[in-house]
Amino acid sequence: MQARGVLAAVVFGAPLVGLSMPLAPIPTTPEAASDFVHFESSHVHPLALTPDGTRLLVVNTPDGRLSVFDVTGSAPIRVAEIPVGLEPVSVAARNNGEAWVINALSDDASVVDLQTMNVRATLPVGDEPADVVFAGVGGAAYVSVSREDVVKVYNPSDLAASPVVIPIPGRMPRALARTGDGAQVLVDVFHSSAEATVLSAAEAGDSLPPLDPALGAGLPAPPKTGLLIKRSNGHWTDASGHLWDSKVPYSVPAVEVVSIATVTNTVTATAGGMASTLMGLAIDPVTDAVAVTGTYAAMEIQLEPNIRGRMTAQRAAILRSAQPPAVVALNPHINYSSVPGPSADADSALGMPTGVCWAADGTRVYATSMATNRIGVIEPAGLGSIVARVPTVAGPTGVIADPVRPRLYVLGRHHEQLQTLSTADLSSLAVSAIGFDPTPDAIVNGRKFFYGGFTSGHGDQSCASCHLFGDVDDFAWNLGDPVGSMSPVPPGMIDPLLMPAHPVKGPMMTQSLRGLGGTGLLHWRGDRANLTAFNAAFVSLMGRATALADSEMTALADFVLPLAYPPNPNRRLDRSLADAPPGQPSAKRGETFFKTVAVFARPPFTGARCVTCHAFPAGTNGQFVDGGAIGGPQDMKIPHLRNLHTKVGFRDSTGVVNKRGMAFTHDGSVDNLFEFLRSANFDFGSPGAIADEKRRDVESFLLAFDTGLAPAIGAQVTFDGGGQDAARRARLDTLVQQAAVGACDLIAKGRVGSMPRGWHHRGGVWEPDRVAEASLSTDGLLGLATVGHELTVTGVPVGSGQRAGVDRDRDGFLDADELDAGTDPGDPGSSPLTAVGADASSPPGILVLRPSPFAERTTIEYALSRSGPAAMVVFDLSGRRVRNLVHDERAVPGRHAVTWDGRGITGLAVSPGIYFVRLTADGHTWRRTLVRLR
């Protein structure tokens, strides 16, 4: 539970006192959560008001729901929670009766009927959508699809019509906003190029700039490395000012905000020079001025001793018509030449500005600071300035101003809280729980160490500054240390030519923190054994005075290690690979080549297949390869392959206009995988064009490399009983097949009458969220779907079907049974056991399992309504009997309990995994899922 706290704010230089208030209770989250996968999707516009100002819409990202609050009273009151897709990150109200929710993992938009409080349609939009806004003729829906670098325009009145696709000349379009007249839609670009690129070691040659500081005594000469350069005053220059124009035949413009004319649906203007990572975007409702927030990566400052404590600058920018952007430094009080800074730096710091909004009258801009649990108040007139820093709930990611009432609403990501602030004095008026948060406690507790500015020397930066939301910033950083130490060859390596790693290493691409488990040593050169080994970087790189305590590093690791990749969009829904006729790239043929053909041409790995080094499932065997074997100046760890599809978009060719200036390999200097595969180190065994066809096949396979999660996870389909359902049935059949082979769990959500209902597909049938109801066939389930009572089927991660489908709060009571009893299915502290009169009239069946999941033993409470035979048996996933728990021919009515010690019929402990407990009594059968952790 969240402890009571005191909120204090400093507004316009004057302290506010007397703001002590209780924080809203947060539902308890069980420690164990084998039913939860950690994606940490980033919020974009997680809050929205309906046009009439009566309702506030809030995404509950970890629980896959939209919470609806009535804001007409003195404080917001939650009136509905609507299941949507997986990882919702944005919401927008089309009108008072309809909202669209953008689901990043499900790759779709949930069209929500705010009268029935149900999803009426699901619209697939493309890989990792980010935001939606309504503008233009007929109020068209503009959806940013980040991984496809496009904005798609849909007709809300005809969702079956093909969208207009608008290419965006920037990497990962993110937040959207519209002008007051709807004539323009603005989109910011998450990954700006920052007008930076990397030259390979061969291109840089012997002209690398001198080291500053100079090389330490006793160190050997550093290796030849690539070179990070930036565009400045019309020229490509390195850190010493040396010109490199002749080596760069392409351009990499800084595209950060893009303007779309809604009449023509074309890009009409772009702006840059504001930040390298763009996050928040909002438009002044009075003047149509634009506010953006983000961070600037200081890559021009190279080498660890120089960039210590100043890797990113926190920025906002105000854009007005026909004027250059006015860039606002969010931390003008920080002197970055003093590291670590005084406590006053952190006391006022703003960092990770994910969200932004304008005051209703346009006189203020409010920017969230996820790193420091604050909102920065910006005076936008002139060049802009920070006039206040206001404490908020933990991890603020979204903020919106109420145009009717003098309020701000803030979403706190760390604990899924909604805070209401007064715009009169910025005092806190209320804090409410958004809804149930299924995130395990360890991840919740570790989140503050990942985002927290207190882990840096000035209070404004954190691990998340470069590892954005657990992933990457798309940049190569030169963080070598000329006065550092050589790193020894890691133990257990089989390449006899490996050498100790030099502390001067050249530019290295930021690596994702997703899926670290089972990949071996960390960093490109394996100079970190594990996450704990990064503790020193909080001092040497982040500028902190001291390293984190061991317990804090453990908490950080608890947050990072479960991070997972989303499914690869280049695989089909059934997880298969695309094939093609000879002469066209075939991922399927590429996989066969990858697994079976000897391709490596250099010792000591001569004759090795691709899979020899890039072993499944992650694409690495954890070994290291000497530089000579890979045609480079340094030894490298064999990298994993699960995110290669996210690195495309750079071409090292004359005249090309690029969205990014770096792509593949450790320094990003290789523009595509085909060229990488043409290295002399690889022997494709055929002459010319035939070998190139094989390379194209392998490239296609690499771009579709399995991330470890099936494409069925997140996939959705909505049924309404209409003529389109036959076509939708084919998609459902594929999802059912994927569930049958263990690629996903499958759930369904909808409304029966006025009640929200859920089902979990298991054993070929749909088990309902009410114990007394019979399971349904697929035909029986779909027969419930009608207009106004639509049903949405969703593929969810394996193990999460029970929670996501029928027992939301994991308390052992099914959701509909809780609603029948008048208790809250989203609060484990509220159940039929706690309801008035529960002990006197407990419904028959299995009531609760405690704990669930369990490690050593669990107690199963059940109730019988009449005398007679009763039997309780534990089964495994294959339906085999594991243990008889109850066999009573003369069972008496009332409440009972039995404990299972995790042992089978033989007396030996059963393996960790999923089991089922079945109670048979009075001619009825009740079932529950059991999860044993160890």
Side-chain angles (χ1 to χ4, degrees), residues 362-509:
T363 60
R364 292 286 184 269
V365 172
Y366 303 99
T368 61
S369 171
M370 192 177 184
T372 61
N373 306 332
R374 296 186 179 107
I375 285 180
V377 183
I378 302 171
E379 166 58 67
L383 297 178
S385 59
I386 305 295
V387 295
R389 297 166 177 85
V390 183
T392 66
V393 287
T397 56
V399 58
I400 190 172
D402 191 325
V404 179
R405 305 160 194 87
R407 298 176 184 168
L408 287 176
Y409 305 108
V410 180
L411 190 156
R413 179 72 172 89
H414 289 3
H415 301 294
E416 297 301 314
Q417 293 171 300
L418 174 67
Q419 184 175 25
T420 305
L421 300 173
S422 165
T423 54
D425 60 6
L426 296 177
S427 60
S428 182
L429 302 176
V431 177
S432 309
I434 293 169
F436 179 65
D437 182 0
T439 311
D441 287 341
I443 294 175
V444 172
N445 295 335
R447 187 174 276 133
K448 64 183 177 183
F449 298 102
F450 182 71
Y451 291 102
F454 66 89
T455 62
S456 65
H458 301 288
D460 61 332
Q461 301 180 54
S462 65
C463 300
S465 298
C466 296
H467 297 284
L468 299 167
F469 307 102
D471 206 27
V472 299
D473 59 8
D474 262 6
F475 293 131
W477 293 84
N478 186 353
L479 301 180
D481 184 359
V483 296
S485 303
M486 301 288 288
S487 298
V489 175
M493 299 298 112
I494 63 175
D495 187 338
L497 302 179
L498 297 176
M499 300 291 290
H502 201 284
V504 175
K505 53 189 175 181
M508 298 272 177
M509 294 290 292

Side-chain angles (χ1 to χ4, degrees), residues 613-692:
C613 297
H614 294 285
F616 292 99
T620 178
N621 62 4
Q623 286 288 315
F624 286 65
V625 181
D626 67 271
I630 56 175
Q634 300 185 74
D635 304 343
M636 289 289 163
K637 176 188 169 184
I638 295 168
H640 76 92
L641 305 176
R642 292 163 296 176
N643 63 347
L644 294 180
H645 65 283
T646 70
K647 297 177 179 290
V648 298
F650 170 48
R651 290 173 57 203
D652 188 357
S653 302
T654 301
V656 172
V657 179
N658 282 300
K659 301 173 186 177
R660 61 194 298 176
M662 48 201 81
F664 296 99
T665 70
H666 69 281
D667 60 10
S669 64
V670 176
D671 62 346
N672 66 79
L673 293 172
F674 176 77
E675 291 300 326
F676 175 76
L677 294 171
R678 296 186 73 177
S679 164
N681 297 303
F682 304 120
D683 180 8
F684 276 75
S686 304
I690 297 176
D692 281 351

Side-chain angles (χ1 to χ4, degrees), residues 458 814 817:
H458 301 288
L814 299 190
D817 288 334

